[in-house]
Amino acid sequence: MGLFDRLFPRREARTALQSISELEKALPSSLGLHLGFDAIKASLRREVIYKPNELRTAIQTTNYSIKVLVLIRVRNIIWDELESGRHQTFGTMKTMVGDGLVALQGYFTDLLEEAGAETREEAVASRASLRDMIKMRFGFE
């Protein structure tokens, strides 16, 4: 990807960046959710700008809107962040940001369910798999 594409993102990337801003503005006024979103916002924006072909491919291969694709990517980044252990203190407790990321994952799972991108059973399984990963990896819930 060239400098020109980074400075002037394509239409899909611009729409995704706008969707990120809208998601942030629509967050409930909870400190944890905002701390969690701040922890992943830069990574999310970077992926949209530096990997526009992945976004374009996802648009072409699914019937999901860009907003839904952004929600899916947000949850993937949240999973990666929590799995990394950067949001654990001494390996036994989540930090405030870690708790915010877990809450954010649940909030975005609800949005995906409302958008019809996930069934109720898939949403429950998503929450359970995150809890299981945290418990297995760090020994607590």
Side-chain angles (χ1 to χ4, degrees), residues 103-135:
L104 197 62
Q105 195 262 2
Y107 176 74
F108 287 136
T109 298
D110 291 342
L111 291 180
L112 283 168
E113 189 179 348
E114 288 172 16
E118 278 190 349
T119 63
R120 181 75 180 140
E121 293 78 24
E122 291 170 331
V124 168
S126 174
R127 287 184 183 92
S129 66
L130 181 69
R131 276 192 313 272
D132 291 345
M133 182 275 295
I134 291 172
K135 186 174 183 178

Side-chain angles (χ1 to χ4, degrees), residues 5-92:
D5 287 333
R6 278 183 266 160
L7 293 175
F8 304 102
R10 295 185 179 146
R11 182 179 52 84
E12 296 92 353
R14 286 192 312 270
T15 304
L17 291 171
Q18 182 180 10
S19 181
I20 293 167
S21 295
E22 290 170 4
L23 284 174
E24 183 177 23
K25 290 175 185 171
L27 285 176
S29 61
S30 164
L31 178 62
L33 292 176
H34 286 277
L35 285 173
F37 197 80
D38 286 345
I40 63 164
K41 183 171 45 175
S43 297
L44 183 59
R45 291 177 61 83
R46 212 173 10 258
E47 287 214 9
V48 167
I49 292 170
Y50 289 108
K51 298 177 184 177
N53 292 334
E54 289 182 12
L55 180 62
R56 186 174 298 114
T57 300
I59 291 169
Q60 293 170 351
T61 58
T62 67
N63 290 328
Y64 296 140
S65 68
I66 291 177
K67 181 177 181 178
V68 169
L69 293 172
V70 167
L71 287 171
I72 292 168
R73 191 62 201 132
V74 165
R75 282 198 331 175
N76 291 341
I77 290 173
I78 290 170
W79 181 281
D80 293 342
E81 282 291 313
L82 288 169
E83 187 177 38
S84 74
R86 286 187 291 258
H87 304 289
Q88 314 300 332
T89 58
F90 307 115
T92 59

